[in-house]
Structure formats: structure tokens, C-alpha cells
């Protein structure tokens, strides 16, 4: 049984991205234990002089480090990820490195037609940055469009085609997690590089 984190990529109380992760938690419970993690209580990033990370961020970081993989579900605001998700990633790469070499699957739900496609592309770029260095599952997008109409009253996805696609992507992610376990030989070097990286000295 895989241990995974489902990171809700928004601070909205009524998010279809949260619904999507909740559906995945139930739907894939025979394969993985997915813990839903919220970011809405994280304070605004301010690069504190004492380099102290808020306790809530430390707690989330520990959960990510202890997990075998992370699923991030993001909406799309103005062609990118929400400010709250960017804020969370800023904290989660500030002298802590929970995403380093961590397998990540990206999903997204959107009220419109495109299903957070641009936001997912931007999120991939962020997760590949020197301070995060996650391992993002390649060639995979789960784009849930018209998400307000996508779930029934019990929280299940209505569209069987979408369910089958999600089944295939999640099966691939489980395999991806296992493959990434074999590619950890440079982990310590990657960690040292991340710890010593500074945009000011480039």
C-alpha cells in the first residue's frame, strides 16, 4: 500500500480540486492511502530574517517527506496557479527541501473548458526549479473541465471516460513512484546543491 499526499492547490473552501482529490482518495483506496493536505492556513511568505519556517509549513513538509508520492491538484487563475499554491511552494523551498527527488503527479479541475492546462504547465516549471527539484511524472495531464458539473451528489466523477483516464494515469504514477526509488543515487548531491543554491550569486 503506497502512502501518498494529496495537496489541495487552493485556499478556497469550495474547491472542485479538493473534490477531485477526495474522489481519488476513495477511488484508489485499495492501492494507496492518500492523505488530503490543505494549504489555506499557511501565512503569506515574507522571507523572514531569522529563516524560521512556520510550524504549519514544517508539518506539511514532514508529511511530504514521509510520503512515497505527492498529488497536487490545481485550479487555474489568469493562466497560472493560484497565489496560495505559489505561496505554499515558496515556503516549502525556503531552507527546507521536502520535494527534492519526490515523485509528483499533477492534476487540475477548472470551471471552464481547458481544465487548468496552463496552470499545470506553470506548476511543472516551478517544481523543476533548483530549490524544489521534484520528479514530475512526464507526459501526463489530467484536466477536468466544467468541474462544477463533473461530480454527482456522492462526490463521484460522472464521466466514465474521465474515470478510465484517471485510472490509467494513477496506475502509471504508482509505477513511476517505484522507478524513482531506484534513481536516488544523486539525492545527497542534489540536496547539497539545493542547500547551497542562491540566485544572488549566479
Amino acid at each position: 500500500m503506497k502512502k501518498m499526499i494529496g495537496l489541495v492547490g487552493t485556499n478556497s473552501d469550495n474547491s472542485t480540486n479538493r473534490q477531485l482529490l477526495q474522489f481519488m482518495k476513495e477511488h484508489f483506496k485499495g492501492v494507496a492511502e492518500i492523505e488530503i493536505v490543505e494549504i489555506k492556513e499557511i501565512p503569506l511568505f515574507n522571507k523572514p530574517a531569522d529563516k524560521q519556517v512556520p510550524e504549519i509549513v514544517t508539518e506539511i513538509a514532514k508529511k511530504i517527506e514521509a510520503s512515497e508520492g505527492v498529488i497536487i491538484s490545481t485550479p487555474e487563475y489568469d493562466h497560472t496557479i493560484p497565489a496560495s499554491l505559489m505561496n505554499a511552494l515558496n515556503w516549502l523551498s525556503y531552507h527546507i527541501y521536502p520535494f527534492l527527488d519526490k515523485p509528483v503527479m499533477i492534476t487540475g479541475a477548472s470551471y471552464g473548458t481547458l481544465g487548468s492546462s496552463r496552470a499545470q504547465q506553470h506548476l511543472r516549471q516551478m517544481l523543476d526549479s533548483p530549490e524544489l527539484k521534484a520528479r514530475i511524472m512526464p507526459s501526463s495531464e489530467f484536466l477536468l473541465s466544467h468541474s462544477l458539473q463533473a461530480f454527482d451528489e456522492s462526490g463521484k466523477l460522472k464521466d466514465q471516460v474521465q474515470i478510465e483516464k484517471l485510472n490509467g494515469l494513477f496506475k502509471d504514477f504508482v509505477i513511476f513512484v517505484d522507478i524513482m526509488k531506484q534513481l536516488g543515487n544523486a539525492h545527497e548531491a542534489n540536496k547539497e546543491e539545493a542547500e547551497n543554491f542562491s540566485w544572488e550569486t549566479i
Side-chain angles (χ1 to χ4, degrees):
M1 179 76 72
K2 292 282 188 292
K3 303 283 187 180
M4 297 185 181
I5 294 297
L7 198 66
V8 181
T10 175
N11 59 358
S12 171
D13 289 330
N14 300 300
S15 169
T16 51
N17 283 277
R18 184 180 293 104
Q19 282 185 279
L20 176 57
L21 288 173
Q22 289 169 340
F23 169 74
M24 292 177 69
K25 177 178 180 176
E26 176 64 24
H27 187 66
F28 296 118
K29 63 184 180 182
V31 180
E33 181 183 320
I34 302 174
E35 180 183 357
I36 308 297
V37 174
E38 301 282 354
I39 63 172
K40 57 186 177 179
E41 301 300 327
I42 295 178
L44 188 64
F45 181 73
N46 62 356
K47 200 173 182 180
D50 62 4
K51 299 181 180 180
Q52 290 299 305
V53 177
E55 184 177 354
I56 185 173
V57 177
T58 302
E59 290 174 358
I60 293 173
K62 288 178 180 178
K63 289 175 188 260
I64 292 171
E65 287 174 343
S67 73
E68 295 176 81
V70 178
I71 307 157
I72 303 177
S73 194
T74 180
E76 182 171 312
Y77 299 161
D78 299 327
H79 289 184
T80 189
I81 63 174
S84 55
L85 178 54
M86 189 178 298
N87 180 63
L89 293 176
N90 289 160
W91 275 119
L92 289 165
S93 58
Y94 185 67
H95 301 288
I96 54 174
Y97 308 98
F99 277 105
L100 184 67
D101 295 326
K102 185 67 61 176
V104 175
M105 175 182 180
I106 299 173
T107 66
S110 170
Y111 295 172
T113 303
L114 297 178
S116 79
S117 58
R118 294 182 181 91
Q120 290 196 32
Q121 184 178 22
H122 186 205
L123 181 55
R124 284 177 178 273
Q125 291 177 321
M126 290 190 68
L127 290 169
D128 197 38
S129 66
E131 302 93 330
L132 286 162
K133 281 198 170 184
R135 296 190 183 272
I136 311 104
M137 187 167 74
S139 303
S140 65
E141 283 186 322
F142 184 73
L143 308 172
L144 184 63
S145 58
H146 305 293
S147 58
L148 284 174
Q149 296 81 39
F151 300 92
D152 63 21
E153 292 181 356
S154 67
K156 182 178 179 180
L157 281 176
K158 297 177 184 177
D159 189 339
Q160 190 59 39
V161 174
Q162 290 278 39
I163 292 174
E164 289 303 318
K165 181 175 182 180
L166 189 58
N167 285 344
L169 288 173
F170 192 77
K171 185 176 181 180
D172 286 348
F173 185 56
V174 170
I175 295 171
F176 181 70
V177 167
D178 287 336
I179 292 173
M180 290 304 99
K181 288 179 180 178
Q182 302 175 47
L183 301 179
N185 296 306
H187 180 76
E188 290 305 317
N190 288 340
K191 183 177 181 182
E192 183 177 353
E193 187 175 281
E195 289 173 342
N196 295 329
F197 180 82
S198 172
W199 290 104
E200 298 172 2
T201 56
I202 290 179

